[in-house]
Amino acid sequence: MLKYGYGGRILRVNLSAKSYKVEELQKSWIRDVIGGRAANSKRLYEEIDPKCDPLGPDNMLIFGIGPLTGTVLPASAYYTISAKSPLTHILGDSAAGGQFGAEMKISGFDQIIITGKSENLIYLDITNDNVQFVDAPHLKHKTIFDTTKFIREEKRDFAVQVACIGRAGENKVLYSSVVSSGNRKNGRTGMGAVMGSKNLKAIAIKGKGSVEYADPLGLLELVTKMKTKIYQHEEYDKRHQMGTTMLMNDLNSIGILPTNHFQQGVCDYIDEVSGEKLAEVYKVKNKSCFNCNVHCSRYYVTDKIEAEGPEYETLCSFSSKIGNDDLEFALEMNHYLNQNGLDSISAGEAISWLIECQEKGIIKPEEVGGYQIKWGEKDKIRELAEMIVTRDGIGDKLANGATNFSKSFSKEAQDLVMQVKGLDIICGDPRGIKAYGLTYAIASRGGDHLRAEPYFELTRKYKLARQRFGTEKAADRLAEDGKAALVTWSEKIALLTDSLTMCKNIGLCMDILDFEEAAKLLTMATGINYTASYLEKILGKAIETDYKLNLKFGLSTDQDTLPDRFTKEPLTRGESKGSVVNIEKMVKEYRDLHNRE
């Protein structure tokens, strides 16, 4: 049994039989994947039936943490949920911070593997030495906040950490979320729908163990240096004040802020919906994930609500992307989506796609039950979000995702869905950030940026780009040369953060973590000898495991591409004017580096 860093145990739960068993985590199994996301993917690759129904009892729902989750490492809060995605039918996973992952660590479990389906709505009550299957009819249709509150009151313990679904998950909306710590969302790929399909409302966990390190003094010394590096970073103050919402103005300034569903990259009312305005007018305090010294999350108050957030993706999805210039409305929608457990990226895509299709006459009101909606119509947008959550009317079709719904209409309507492999892309127009475009195209869970997060291309660190990637153009966001090498490197760092675990905003975007430092952290924490070269090697293999898993799921490599809007239609305004993405060139270079056909 592993002694240091890890909890050292795996919990397997069968909901159909209402049974569980505990297994030891073997060093021989974990050493090649470290933990977290990579370990979850390895588990799926080895054990899942690739032909299983994503919403059936045979799908595996895996909660995973890493050896540094919940430790003295800054921002070591993250945990990953993995399964076969009901939205895309390929590898699905999503990570979140907050407090749940740290509590899972001191429960002694490195993975919680859930199969089967309960006959009735339940929640799991997990401690270090016991699992209870608690009937939960009283939690049906409860919000995230109320579910968390009820469970804590039942247990008479407000230190219990709860990961749960809202109404969207119960109704199996294919892009519903799992939410913990009240507002921290495992948002993407429909993990909430998988949980809902198993009649599992929540997992409540309370640990009573501790974390031991192989070299605690050495680890503390290295971590102290990393904390200082974070405080001294040139973006620290900005990230502390605004979190990811700083990107509203940043991306608008370079002409890639999605406006009216990616029709433009410049928003004329940016000052009304910016991260700066949110911080100045509505933010009342900062909030933080476990052991983070950036405290990038924000708590805000308006005349109607008070809540945490939003992150950039939610703010953009419900402001510029849908033609809304009212910041208070975006803040209202952030609260609504979080408390009902709905992914803001896919919800924003479904709504903005429908608006554009109706604007262009591609989808007529009579084709969607008489429903009609225009840019910035707040009452209609609010109403449509509720219809998606409840699967009422047209919302029932939109709840299956824009890609799936679009198949009922013309090819023109299908081509307007901004997705890759069925997953809606983020709020960053790839025409002005080419490495991100490549990342969307090749990401193993679909149109995603977090598989690589090649933030480096925005830094203009040309000398370092030449050293790392052989060309200064790797640090030029409008260039395509060197981007395959950048994405290949960034993929490994991204997987490294997800496996340790650590927040990507700090470990990757702020360039705090590298292979040398990670090898020292792992060795000091776990007592297992890691080197930088060995980490690069095993992370590369783990990335190929994701690729092979998707082949098992039936994914075709010809889906490594982007929507025509990004490859054929140049931006017409702003600092990225005239730019399109030559995705075929970059994908070929990427495949050559990975020895893929």
Side-chain angles (χ1 to χ4, degrees), residues 138-332:
H138 57 298
L139 297 181
K140 186 175 182 179
H141 295 164
K142 296 295 184 186
T143 64
I144 302 300
F145 179 84
D146 285 343
T147 298
T148 303
K149 179 173 179 285
F150 272 114
I151 290 174
R152 286 175 168 173
E153 287 178 345
E154 283 178 354
K155 293 182 63 61
R156 297 182 179 181
D157 189 347
F158 276 74
V160 170
Q161 295 302 317
V162 178
C164 58
I165 57 174
R167 290 186 298 156
E170 290 181 48
N171 292 326
K172 294 184 280 292
V173 176
L174 298 190
Y175 44 93
S176 52
S177 308
V178 179
V179 188
S180 60
S181 301
N183 288 280
R184 305 308 170 97
K185 295 171 67 174
N186 301 84
R188 311 239 60 201
T189 71
M191 297 299 97
V194 177
M195 202 158 154
S197 74
K198 296 182 178 299
N199 269 330
L200 180 60
K201 177 67 174 180
I203 295 177
I205 196 161
K206 178 66 181 293
K208 56 183 179 181
S210 60
V211 184
E212 294 186 55
Y213 312 124
D215 181 2
L217 293 180
L219 182 65
L220 183 60
E221 181 180 0
L222 182 54
V223 162
T224 300
K225 291 178 182 177
M226 292 179 71
K227 285 185 176 180
T228 300
K229 190 176 177 182
I230 293 168
Y231 282 126
Q232 293 177 346
H233 194 278
E234 60 188 6
E235 290 186 350
Y236 176 83
D237 288 339
K238 193 174 182 180
R239 289 180 179 274
H240 174 70
Q241 289 299 325
M242 292 181 284
T244 56
T245 63
M246 71 181 194
L247 293 172
M248 290 294 291
N249 247 319
D250 286 356
L251 298 193
N252 192 68
S253 69
I254 58 175
I256 61 165
L257 182 72
T259 303
N260 289 14
H261 192 231
F262 292 95
Q263 293 186 79
Q264 293 291 344
V266 177
C267 175
D268 293 329
Y269 48 85
I270 183 61
D271 290 340
E272 295 302 312
V273 293
S274 69
E276 286 83 353
K277 182 172 181 178
L278 170 58
E280 291 169 8
V281 179
Y282 299 102
K283 187 183 86 170
V284 294
K285 65 178 180 179
N286 286 71
K287 293 197 71 175
S288 167
C289 294
F290 175 85
N291 192 28
C292 179
N293 58 336
V294 177
H295 294 218
C296 75
S297 189
R298 289 130 285 108
Y299 198 84
Y300 63 87
V301 175
T302 73
D303 289 341
K304 296 180 180 179
I305 57 169
E306 57 180 88
E308 185 177 351
E311 296 304 316
Y312 162 73
E313 296 296 338
T314 305
L315 181 53
C316 178
S317 292
F318 284 85
S319 61
S320 63
K321 190 175 178 182
I322 58 169
N324 165 51
D325 62 1
D326 183 350
L327 180 55
E328 284 203 17
F329 176 71
L331 297 180
E332 173 194 335

Side-chain angles (χ1 to χ4, degrees), residues 23 96 140 152 182 206 296 368 384 492 494 544 596:
E23 301 172 357
K140 186 175 182 179
R152 286 175 168 173
K206 178 66 181 293
C296 75
V368 286
L384 194 52
K492 293 176 182 177
E544 292 308 303
R596 296 180 189 171

Side-chain angles (χ1 to χ4, degrees), residues 107-156:
S107 75
F109 297 116
D110 298 295
Q111 280 185 328
I112 300 172
I113 304 168
I114 302 168
T115 55
K117 176 182 179 179
S118 172
E119 291 183 0
N120 52 296
L121 192 67
I122 65 168
Y123 73 84
L124 293 177
D125 182 5
I126 300 173
T127 60
N128 291 59
D129 50 17
N130 187 38
V131 177
Q132 292 185 336
F133 301 80
V134 183
D135 288 338
H138 57 298
L139 297 181
K140 186 175 182 179
H141 295 164
K142 296 295 184 186
T143 64
I144 302 300
F145 179 84
D146 285 343
T147 298
T148 303
K149 179 173 179 285
F150 272 114
I151 290 174
R152 286 175 168 173
E153 287 178 345
E154 283 178 354
K155 293 182 63 61
R156 297 182 179 181

